[in-house]
Amino acid sequence: MTDTRAARDHPAPEALPVPDGRPGPRLRGIVWQTALLLCVLLFLAYLTQRYWPTVRGGAVRLTLADQGWLSVAAVAAVGTWAASALAQQGAVVERLPGARLVAAQFAACAANHLLPAGIGAGAVNLRFLLRCGLPMGRSAGALAVKGGAGGVARLALIALLVPFCPGLLRVPELPLIWLLGVLGAAALVTAVAAGPLWPRCRRALTALLSDVRAVHARPARAVALWGGSLAFAALHCGVLVAVARAVALPLPAPEVALLYLAASGAAALLPTPGGLGSLDAALVLALTTSGAPAATAASAVLGYRMLTVWLPLPPGLLTLAVLLRRKAL
């Protein structure tokens, strides 16, 4: 009887789960991130080795560049994060915490250079908005509103610069098979959307339009959305223009800005992480085709990449780690 009462009062501890030898989800995530980063670095090393003479000439010219213009480019690069934060605030009605918002954009910029097609930045901003208390649907809608405003802002800047650079951009002649392929893909997407997926698509579009109306019902939010989107694209143009001035690139500033907008749009068709490789090649090709020497064009693109990608990448990843550790993302 005494043993029975003691067993009832002090039950035996539950058996601890026995590890099955498989790595946990956190470890698997670290392994995948490390493998992805190594692939990106190996691809960059391949490009550097293949075009080493041009890269070396550009790097040497960059070391002799005008430090004043490089400082202007650095300030413009820092301003892109503030502009991105302003646009993100304008995409939601609720007030977001300012310091965390800027830090999240800095971390999103770093994450965007590890994953293709803007997935890294989108994931970071989505987690940030969810942590701020927005539901999933409205968080995704805010990202769509910001992305749409960014695309319209780029088109507006192109339309503004085209009159100052007559004949610089020419519509390429596309083969008939390409046009037929695009039309076929559009017809297929329309047929799928009009079929079983139409109710979901309609609900998503309705929710998105509701978010757009709610944002534009507040003038301060609309100004932040469009002002931040325009400033983000213009500041990226400013970084390249300032670096081009620093290395004495023989092209006018409006042409450099227009070529950047066109090249970045073309590079988006090849969704590498952060446009790595695709944007660099498109920029160098656009600058050299417009009359710039290859070494000078490579130097300008290298300086632009250093200020917008490689120098901010380590502190950006550190900021991302801190935000995740503090559960701010």
Side-chain angles (χ1 to χ4, degrees):
M1 180 71 68
T2 304
D3 294 340
T4 304
R5 186 182 300 113
R8 186 173 61 250
D9 295 339
H10 303 284
E14 295 182 3
L16 296 176
V18 179
D20 58 359
R22 293 179 297 178
R26 188 178 186 128
L27 180 58
R28 287 197 296 269
I30 293 175
V31 170
W32 278 109
Q33 293 170 9
T34 304
L36 181 61
L37 179 59
L38 287 176
C39 291
V40 172
L41 293 177
L42 287 174
F43 180 66
L44 179 65
Y46 164 75
L47 290 178
T48 303
Q49 186 273 336
R50 182 173 181 178
Y51 301 102
W52 175 244
T54 303
V55 173
R56 182 179 58 184
V60 170
R61 184 179 291 271
L62 192 60
T63 59
L64 304 174
D66 187 312
Q67 298 300 312
W69 278 112
L70 287 181
S71 300
V72 172
V75 172
V78 173
T80 59
W81 308 320
S84 180
L86 183 63
Q88 189 63 77
Q89 174 60 86
V92 296
V93 176
E94 292 81 1
R95 184 172 181 81
L96 302 175
R100 282 174 54 197
L101 176 58
V102 176
Q105 302 314 302
F106 187 39
C109 178
N112 202 43
H113 295 104
L114 299 180
L115 294 174
I119 296 176
V124 171
N125 280 313
L126 183 63
R127 287 177 63 96
F128 169 74
L129 293 174
L130 291 173
R131 287 292 185 182
C132 290
L134 274 71
M136 174 61 77
R138 293 197 50 220
S139 298
L143 296 183
V145 170
K146 181 187 176 186
V152 173
R154 284 177 173 268
L155 291 177
L157 287 176
I158 291 175
L160 181 65
L161 290 171
V162 162
F164 296 96
C165 311
L168 184 64
L169 295 183
R170 293 178 294 274
V171 179
E173 296 182 1
L174 296 178
L176 180 60
I177 188 65
W178 286 26
L179 295 176
L180 293 177
V182 171
L183 292 176
L188 179 61
V189 170
T190 303
V192 172
L197 296 180
W198 172 241
R200 294 185 180 181
C201 294
R202 184 174 57 186
R203 286 195 296 269
L205 288 174
T206 302
L208 182 60
L209 292 176
S210 177
D211 291 340
V212 171
R213 286 193 296 267
V215 165
H216 287 82
R218 295 195 173 192
R221 292 293 185 264
V223 170
L225 174 64
W226 293 106
S229 300
L230 284 168
F232 181 79
L235 285 169
H236 270 282
C237 292
V239 175
L240 184 59
V241 168
V243 175
R245 284 286 177 268
V247 298
L249 188 81
L251 290 177
E255 289 190 11
V256 175
L258 184 56
L259 289 173
Y260 165 77
L261 293 170
S264 59
L269 300 177
L270 183 60
T272 57
L276 183 64
S278 58
L279 177 58
D280 306 81
L283 268 178
V284 172
L285 178 62
L287 294 173
T288 53
T289 303
S290 299
T296 310
S299 179
V301 174
L302 180 61
Y304 168 78
R305 280 304 208 177
M306 288 293 294
L307 291 173
T308 58
V309 178
W310 302 116
L311 290 178
L313 186 59
L317 293 177
L318 179 61
T319 302
L320 178 60
V322 171
L323 291 175
L324 289 174
R325 186 175 184 84
R326 295 183 177 179
K327 300 187 183 304
L329 289 181

